[in-house]
Amino acid sequence: MQEIKVGNLQVAIFADKKAILSEMYSRLSSNLATAAVAVNPEKVLSALSSHDVAHVLNQCDIRYADGIGVVKVLQHKSGMKLQRIPGCELWESLMKEAGIRNTPVFLLGATEDVLTKTRRKLVAEYETPIAGYHNGFFQGTAEMIQKIKDSGAQIVTVALGSPKQELFIFECKKAGIKAIFMGVGGTYDVYTGNVKRAPKMFCKFGLEWFYRLCNQPSRIIRQLKLLSFVWLAVTNKL
Ligand code: UDP
């Protein structure tokens, strides 16, 4: 797995979603726990400003490039033409693969309503075997980890927002669960139509962030921070 540094995160280079899925399943068959995390400009910036965030993200086993800004920096540094791998698309492919291979899945995170719609849709669409589930508003990390362990899940997808979800995954790995873990942010909301994804044209031109800003103006503060990512990128400081 080739990796390139962006800020202080090592980001892996994968040709496409299939290559990541194959790496995940090969680690699963070797009985290795795998934490996969999507790296976007927001995560690069928080890793630069917090040693703890950088540590948690660098402890993950697969860091792939989501977010057009990160892809551009990787392309510039590697000289290769690379594609962006949106976390929500990778998650859906993994859920489909789980249906084909009959791999038990635990779904954690989001509101009860979104979670119920997510598992119903997954079963209807891909026959994903759901071994367990819980909404993202719980007390007691240790109890939740035990519940996941008892479910026998081999894939655990965690939608708690970042870095909460990565910290939770870190704890699951420490507790010895040998599964494929994916931190998926707002993916269940997008999958169930609770939050709309940008139309294909926006994605094609790398303007998904702009579409999200227009739809959720409250993201402005989060997105203004991204200007510093652009500045660091154009001045070759990443
Ligand atoms: N969430 C949760 N528990 C929490 C905080 C957030 O389950 O304590 C869920 C929330 O309902 C949403 C997701 O986590 O489904 C976070 O989405 P966000 O858009 O913040 O994540 P991003 O995709 O931007 O990382």
Side-chain angles (χ1 to χ4, degrees), residues 40 42-43 108-111 114 134-138 158-162 164-166 184-190 194-195 212 216 219 222:
N40 54 25
E42 216 172 342
K43 289 205 185 101
L108 180 65
T111 60
V114 168
H134 201 283
N135 67 56
F137 301 89
F138 58 89
V158 186
L160 300 175
S162 195
K164 202 171 171 185
Q165 60 199 24
E166 284 80 20
V184 295
T187 297
Y188 305 163
D189 300 81
V190 172
N194 200 39
V195 170
R212 290 181 84 180
Q216 286 173 271
R219 295 180 77 95
R222 274 171 82 169

Side-chain angles (χ1 to χ4, degrees), residues 35-62:
V37 63
V39 179
N40 54 25
E42 216 172 342
K43 289 205 185 101
V44 171
L45 290 177
S46 36
L48 278 173
S49 61
S50 156
H51 178 75
D52 289 348
V53 173
H55 180 68
V56 167
L57 294 178
N58 278 322
Q59 291 283 315
C60 291
D61 307 283
I62 299 176

Side-chain angles (χ1 to χ4, degrees), residues 70-218:
V70 177
V71 173
K72 293 271 183 221
V73 174
L74 283 183
Q75 288 193 151
H76 180 69
K77 289 195 173 185
S78 68
M80 289 191 242
K81 176 110 185 73
L82 300 167
Q83 18 167 310
R84 178 184 163 215
I85 299 175
C88 56
E89 289 179 18
L90 178 65
W91 172 80
E92 200 169 331
S93 300
L94 181 62
M95 295 299 97
K96 185 175 177 186
E97 197 67 22
I100 295 166
R101 299 191 193 216
N102 203 24
T103 320
V105 172
F106 194 103
L107 299 174
L108 180 65
T111 60
E112 193 63 35
D113 178 50
V114 168
L115 184 64
T116 304
K117 286 185 186 144
T118 302
R119 62 189 169 80
R120 288 196 182 139
K121 190 170 171 196
L122 282 177
V123 172
E125 205 162 17
Y126 303 122
E127 295 181 33
T128 310
I130 308 294
Y133 55 89
H134 201 283
N135 67 56
F137 301 89
F138 58 89
Q139 306 284 322
T141 302
E143 289 79 4
M144 188 54 65
I145 292 175
Q146 192 57 46
K147 188 176 158 101
I148 294 171
K149 217 175 208 174
D150 294 343
S151 76
Q154 290 182 303
I155 296 176
V156 183
T157 69
V158 186
L160 300 175
S162 195
K164 202 171 171 185
Q165 60 199 24
E166 284 80 20
L167 287 167
F168 182 83
I169 291 171
F170 192 64
E171 291 301 319
C172 289
K173 278 181 67 183
K174 257 196 351 208
I177 307 178
K178 304 270 190 273
I180 297 170
F181 293 94
M182 229 186 127
V184 295
T187 297
Y188 305 163
D189 300 81
V190 172
Y191 182 61
T192 54
N194 200 39
V195 170
K196 289 232 174 323
R197 231 193 132 194
K200 285 209 163 57
M201 276 316 263
F202 282 81
C203 301
K204 191 171 164 207
F205 292 108
L207 290 171
E208 199 167 355
W209 61 271
F210 180 67
Y211 180 85
R212 290 181 84 180
L213 177 62
C214 295
N215 276 277
Q216 286 173 271
S218 56

